[in-house]
C-alpha cells in the first residue's frame, strides 16, 4: 500500500497521461480488491480491463488492455483506477484482509471436498467455460499419449474460422483469436513438461506453419499474434533442449526456417540453439549457411544469417566477404566494411575501403553522407586536412545544401583556408540562385549560407536580388533589426497580415511574436505612436478572438 501514492502514480504515468487519467474517474466501474491487487473496468473509447499490482517485487505496477497499455505503459486508465483507490484508501486495508480471508476460506472448502464432489465441480465448470474445457481436453489427450488428438485440438485452436467473417479476422476479433492460439502454445509446452518433448518439437513446427498462414488473414495491428509467435519459438527451443534432437537435422531445419516464409512470425535466432546443436550441429549450421549464401549472395535472409554466424565466430573476413559480395552503389556497404575493420583494429584497410566507396560511387550527390563524414574524420585524425577539405568541396559542389556548406566551412577553417574556399562556395550558390525558377519550394541556399556566416548585409542583398521565402525573410529581419529597423518592420508587417485572417492558439502565438518585433522596430525608429495606432486598429478588428486578446494583454500589447 505504501507504493500507492499520487506522486508514484504521476511518476509512472507521466504528466500527460496523469492529467488525462483525472478525466476518467467517473468511468471506473466494477472495482474488485484482492490481496495485493485491484481490478476494474474503465470505459474509454472501448471497455478496458485494468489491474493494479499494489506491492509487487517492482513496487506499484499495472496492466491495461488498451493499445497504449499493451505497449507496457502506465496509461490513463491505470491512473483513473489508482486515483479512485486512493480516494477510498481508508477502506483498502479492510478490503485486502477480506480478500485474504475469502481466499483462505475457498482453499479450505476445496480441500474438504471429496473426490466425487471435486469432479462434479470441475465438470460443472467445464460445461460453462469453453476455454477451460479446451485446455483440459488438451491435457487429457497429452496425458494418454494421444498425439493425433493433441494435433487435432491444436489445429482447431489455430483455425481462424470461428473468428473470421468472409475469411478474414477483423481487428475487433484479433485479440480473442490470439488468446485462443495462446492455448495451443501452452499445450505444446505441456507436452514438454510431461516428458514428450520430441512430440512437442513436431507440434511446434506444425503450429508455426499454420499460424503464419493464418496471419495473412488476421488484422494483427496490436501485435497479439506476434507475441504468440515469440512464445511458440520459446516453446520449440525448450522442447529441443529437453529432447536433444539430432544436431544435423536441427541445423537443417533452422536454416530452412530462417530462410523460409515462416521466420517473419517467430524471428528465431539459430545462435540461441548453440547449446543444443553442439560442435557437430554448429559445423553443419555454418556449412548450410555458406551453401545458401553462395546460392543467393544478394538475398537479405542469406546475408543476415551468414553475417550473424561470422560475427559470432569472430571471423571478420567472412563478414567482409558477405558485404563485399553485394556492394550498394551509394557507398553504404563500404562504410559497413570500414567500421567492421575498425572494430578489428585494421584501420589502414578500413580507410582503403572507405576511399573506395567514394571513388566507386557513380553519383557523388547520392553518396551516403555518413561515408563522407567518416572519411573526413579519419583524414582530420591523421592530419591530412587538405584531403578533408577537398572531399567536402566536391561533396558541397554536387549537394549545394546549407549543411554541406557548414561542413566545408568547418573543414576549411581547420585547415586555415576558409577565406579562399568561401569565395568559390558562394560563387556556386550565386549561380544556383540565378537558376532558380519562380514557384520552387524554399528560398535560395545562398541566403541561408550568408545568414549562417553572420553576413547580414550580403544576405539582404542576395534576398533582394534572388528572392527569399518567408522563413528566410523572417530570419533576415531578426538578424538585422538593430541595423535596419525600417526594412525589418516591412517584413514583420507583411508576415503578420495573413495571420490576422486565421484562428487557433498557435497562430495567435506566432502573431503576438511578430507584434513584439514590430513594437521594437517602431521604438528604434522613434515612432511609438504609429505602433499604438496599429495595435488599436488590430484589437478592434480582432475583438471576437478572445484568446488572441488575452495573449496580447499578457505581453502588454
Amino acid at each position: 500500500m505504501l507504493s500507492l501514492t499520487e506522486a508514484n502514480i504521476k511518476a509512472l504515468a507521466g504528466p500527460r497521461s496523469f492529467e488525462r487519467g483525472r478525466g476518467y474517474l467517473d468511468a471506473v466501474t466494477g472495482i474488485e480488491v484482492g490481496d495485493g491487487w485491484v481490478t476494474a473496468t474503465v470505459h474509454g473509447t472501448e471497455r478496458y480491463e485494468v489491474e493494479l499490482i499494489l506491492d509487487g517485487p517492482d513496487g506499484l505496477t499495472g496492466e491495461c488492455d488498451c493499445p497504449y497499455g499493451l505497449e507496457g505503459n502506465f496509461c490513463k486508465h491505470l491512473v483513473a483506477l489508482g486515483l479512485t483507490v486512493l480516494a477510498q484508501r481508508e477502506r483498502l486495508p479492510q478490503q485486502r484482509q477480506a480478500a485474504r480471508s475469502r481466499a483462505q476460506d475457498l482453499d479450505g472448502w476445496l480441500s474438504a471436498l471429496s473426490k466425487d464432489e471435486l469432479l462434479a465441480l470441475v465438470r460443472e465448470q467445464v460445461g460453462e467455460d469453453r476455454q477451460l474445457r479446451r485446455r483440459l481436453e488438451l491435457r487429457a489427450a497429452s496425458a494418454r499419449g494421444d498425439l493425433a488428438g493433441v494435433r487435432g485440438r491444436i489445429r482447431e485452436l489455430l483455425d481462424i474460422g470461428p473468428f473470421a467473417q468472409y475469411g478474414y479476422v477483423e481487428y475487433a476479433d484479433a485479440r480473442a483469436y490470439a488468446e485462443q492460439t495462446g492455448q495451443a502454445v501452452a499445450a505444446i509446452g505441456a507436452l514438454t513438461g510431461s516428458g514428450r518433448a520430441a512430440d512437442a518439437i513436431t507440434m511446434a513446427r506444425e503450429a508455426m506453419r499454420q499460424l503464419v498462414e493464418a496471419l495473412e488473414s488476421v488484422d494483427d495491428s496490436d501485435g497479439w499474434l506476434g507475441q504468440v509467435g515469440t512464445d511458440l519459438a520459446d516453446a520449440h527451443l525448450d522442447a529441443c533442449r529437453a529432447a536433444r534432437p539430432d544436431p544435423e537435422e536441427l541445423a537443417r531445419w533452422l536454416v530452412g526456417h530462417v530462410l523460409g516464409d515462416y521466420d517473419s512470425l517467430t524471428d528465431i535466432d539459430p545462435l540461441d540453439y548453440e547449446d543444443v546443436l553442439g560442435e557437430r550441429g554448429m559445423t553443419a549450421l555454418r556449412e548450410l549457411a555458406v551453401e545458401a549464401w553462395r546460392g543467393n549472395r544478394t538475398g537479405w535472409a542469406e546475408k543476415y544469417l551468414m553475417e550473424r554466424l561470422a560475427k559470432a565466430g569472430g571471423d571478420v573476413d567472412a563478414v567482409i566477404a558477405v558485404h563485399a559480395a553485394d556492394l550498394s552503389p551509394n557507398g553504404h556497404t563500404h562504410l559497413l566494411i570500414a567500421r567492421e575493420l575498425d572494430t578489428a583494429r585494421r584501420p589502414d584497410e578500413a580507410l582503403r575501403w572507405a576511399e573506395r566507396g567514394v571513388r566507386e560511387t557513380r553519383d557523388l550527390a547520392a553518396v551516403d553522407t555518413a561515408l563522407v563524414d567518416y572519411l573526413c574524420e579519419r583524414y582530420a585524425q591523421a592530419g591530412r586536412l587538405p584531403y578533408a577539405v577537398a572531399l567536402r568541396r566536391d561533396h558541397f559542389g554536387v549537394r549545394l545544401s546549407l549543411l554541406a556548406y557548414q561542413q566545408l566551412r568547418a573543414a576549411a577553417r581547420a585547415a586555415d583556408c576558409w577565406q579562399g574556399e568561401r569565395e568559390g562556395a558562394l560563387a556556386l550558390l550565386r549561380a544556383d540562385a540565378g537558376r532558380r525558377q519562380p514557384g520552387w519550394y524554399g528560398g535560395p541556399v545562398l541566403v541561408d549560407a550568408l545568414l549562417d556566416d553572420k553576413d547580414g548585409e550580403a544576405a539582404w542583398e542576395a534576398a533582394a536580388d534572388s528572392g527569399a521565402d518567408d522563413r528566410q525573410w523572417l530570419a533576415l529581419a531578426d538578424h538585422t533589426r538593430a541595423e535596419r529597423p525600417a526594412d525589418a518592420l516591412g517584413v514583420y508587417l507583411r508576415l503578420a497580415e495573413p495571420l490576422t485572417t486565421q484562428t487557433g492558439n498557435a497562430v495567435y502565438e506566432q502573431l503576438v511574436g511578430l507584434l513584439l518585433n514590430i513594437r521594437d522596430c517602431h521604438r528604434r525608429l522613434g515612432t511609438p505612436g504609429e505602433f499604438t495606432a496599429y495595435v488599436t486598429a488590430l484589437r478592434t478588428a480582432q475583438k471576437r478572438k478572445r484568446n488572441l486578446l488575452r495573449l496580447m494583454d499578457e505581453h502588454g500589447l
Side-chain angles (χ1 to χ4, degrees):
M1 176 57 185
L2 293 176
S3 62
L4 183 61
T5 65
E6 184 170 317
N8 283 349
I9 293 173
K10 189 171 185 178
L12 287 169
R16 185 168 181 269
S17 289
F18 182 80
E19 289 304 320
R20 295 183 69 188
R22 288 182 181 274
Y24 281 78
L25 296 180
D26 294 336
V28 180
T29 62
I31 296 177
E32 181 180 355
V33 178
D35 185 18
W37 52 265
V38 182
T39 62
T41 298
V42 180
H43 299 268
T45 307
E46 296 182 13
R47 174 178 167 174
Y48 299 115
E49 301 301 322
V50 184
E51 180 178 14
L52 278 176
I53 306 300
L54 300 178
D55 43 16
D58 299 321
L60 178 65
T61 58
E63 295 182 359
C64 177
D65 59 1
C66 73
Y68 190 60
L70 290 172
E71 295 175 359
N73 299 298
F74 201 92
C75 66
K76 60 189 178 184
H77 308 110
L78 285 165
V79 171
L81 177 56
L83 294 178
T84 300
V85 173
L86 270 178
Q88 307 168 5
R89 63 167 65 87
E90 68 281 354
R91 297 168 48 196
L92 193 58
Q94 293 82 2
Q95 290 174 322
R96 292 185 62 174
Q97 180 58 47
R100 192 177 301 118
S101 297
R102 289 195 301 271
Q104 291 172 349
D105 291 345
L106 177 60
D107 185 66
W109 176 70
L110 289 172
S111 299
L113 292 177
S114 67
K115 177 182 177 182
D116 289 339
E117 290 172 326
L118 282 172
L119 282 173
L121 180 62
V122 171
R123 290 182 180 122
E124 178 184 342
Q125 293 302 309
V126 166
E128 296 176 356
D129 189 334
R130 183 177 63 177
Q131 303 290 356
L132 175 62
R133 174 173 56 79
R134 287 174 169 172
R135 288 197 298 270
L136 294 181
E137 285 174 348
L138 275 169
R139 288 194 181 186
S142 175
R144 66 175 180 268
D146 182 5
L147 187 60
V150 174
R151 177 181 281 113
R153 295 299 295 124
I154 288 178
R155 286 177 176 172
E156 288 179 14
L157 291 171
L158 297 177
D159 180 18
I160 67 170
F163 301 88
Q165 293 184 0
Y166 310 108
Y168 190 79
V169 180
E170 301 290 345
Y171 174 80
D173 299 314
R175 181 180 179 183
Y177 173 68
E179 289 176 349
Q180 179 170 298
T181 60
Q183 295 178 32
V185 178
I188 292 170
L191 281 172
T192 299
S194 63
R196 302 179 63 84
D199 293 336
I201 293 174
T202 301
M203 293 292 98
R205 294 179 183 180
E206 290 181 3
M208 289 177 193
R209 289 193 293 271
Q210 189 172 349
L211 197 56
V212 167
E213 292 170 0
L215 185 60
E216 297 178 359
S217 303
V218 179
D219 182 351
D220 192 38
S221 300
D222 286 340
W224 290 102
L225 285 186
Q227 183 58 53
V228 173
T230 299
D231 295 342
L232 185 54
D234 291 341
H236 180 264
L237 177 57
D238 291 342
C240 288
R241 284 174 172 158
R244 295 288 166 175
D246 178 73
E248 293 183 357
E249 184 279 329
L250 178 58
R252 283 192 296 273
W253 182 85
L254 286 169
V255 171
H257 181 85
V258 171
L259 301 183
D261 298 328
Y262 305 120
D263 194 45
S264 59
L265 180 72
T266 56
D267 196 25
I268 284 178
D269 184 351
L271 291 176
D272 290 341
Y273 291 75
E274 187 170 3
D275 59 322
V276 182
L277 290 165
E279 184 176 348
R280 183 161 66 94
M282 288 299 295
T283 298
L285 185 69
R286 292 189 181 94
E287 291 175 351
L288 290 165
V290 170
E291 180 182 350
W293 173 67
R294 286 175 176 169
N296 185 17
R297 294 176 185 262
T298 61
W300 182 90
E302 287 81 0
K303 289 192 297 182
Y304 179 74
L305 178 59
M306 271 293 295
E307 184 181 352
R308 287 280 292 126
L309 292 173
K311 284 186 176 181
D315 190 346
V316 176
D317 290 316
V319 175
I320 293 171
V322 172
H323 289 311
D326 186 27
L327 294 172
S328 58
N330 69 345
H332 175 70
T333 321
H334 299 78
L335 177 61
L336 294 179
I337 293 173
R339 286 174 173 164
E340 291 289 346
L341 289 166
D342 277 334
T343 302
R345 298 184 179 181
R346 293 157 63 175
D348 293 341
E349 293 176 73
L351 181 60
R352 286 196 293 272
W353 268 102
E355 290 176 326
R356 176 180 165 183
V358 171
R359 189 169 60 250
E360 294 181 354
T361 299
R362 301 187 186 94
D363 180 8
L364 191 58
V367 72
D368 188 341
T369 55
L371 176 60
V372 176
D373 295 341
Y374 172 89
L375 264 177
C376 289
E377 183 179 350
R378 288 294 306 273
Y379 287 147
Q381 291 172 350
R384 299 167 63 183
L385 299 180
Y387 285 77
V389 173
L391 181 54
R392 290 296 188 192
R393 182 194 309 126
D394 292 342
H395 193 226
F396 169 75
V398 296
R399 297 295 290 266
L400 296 180
S401 68
L402 176 60
L403 176 59
Y405 180 83
Q406 293 168 330
Q407 291 170 327
L408 172 59
R409 182 178 63 198
R413 281 178 174 171
D416 197 23
C417 61
W418 174 231
Q419 187 172 356
E421 290 293 336
R422 182 173 188 262
E423 290 304 316
L426 291 178
L428 290 174
L429 291 178
R430 289 191 183 95
D432 178 63
R435 291 191 296 268
R436 297 180 65 85
Q437 299 296 321
W440 280 22
Y441 178 77
V445 177
L446 174 63
V447 175
D448 290 327
L450 291 169
L451 277 172
D452 203 60
D453 282 342
K454 305 296 188 293
D455 194 346
E457 289 298 319
W460 268 103
E461 293 177 10
D465 291 342
S466 305
D469 61 20
D470 287 347
R471 173 190 58 82
Q472 292 173 322
W473 279 118
L474 180 59
L476 280 165
D478 290 343
H479 184 77
T480 62
R481 187 166 67 234
E483 297 81 17
R484 310 174 67 127
D487 291 331
L489 177 60
V491 171
Y492 293 138
L493 289 171
R494 179 178 64 80
L495 295 178
E497 181 61 28
L499 296 180
T500 62
T501 64
Q502 302 174 34
T503 59
N505 290 336
V507 172
Y508 301 154
E509 290 176 4
Q510 188 178 356
L511 178 56
V512 168
L514 290 171
L515 291 175
L516 293 172
N517 291 337
I518 291 171
R519 182 174 65 181
D520 184 57
C521 289
H522 277 295
R523 181 183 60 81
R524 294 177 185 276
L525 292 167
T527 56
E530 292 183 21
F531 176 71
T532 300
Y534 174 79
V535 170
T536 300
L538 180 65
R539 293 180 72 97
T540 300
Q542 306 292 319
K543 62 183 179 181
R544 294 183 180 276
K545 298 177 179 177
R546 289 177 294 180
N547 284 356
L548 172 60
L549 296 181
R550 177 185 54 77
L551 196 59
M552 291 175 67
D553 290 339
E554 290 176 0
H555 288 83
L557 296 169

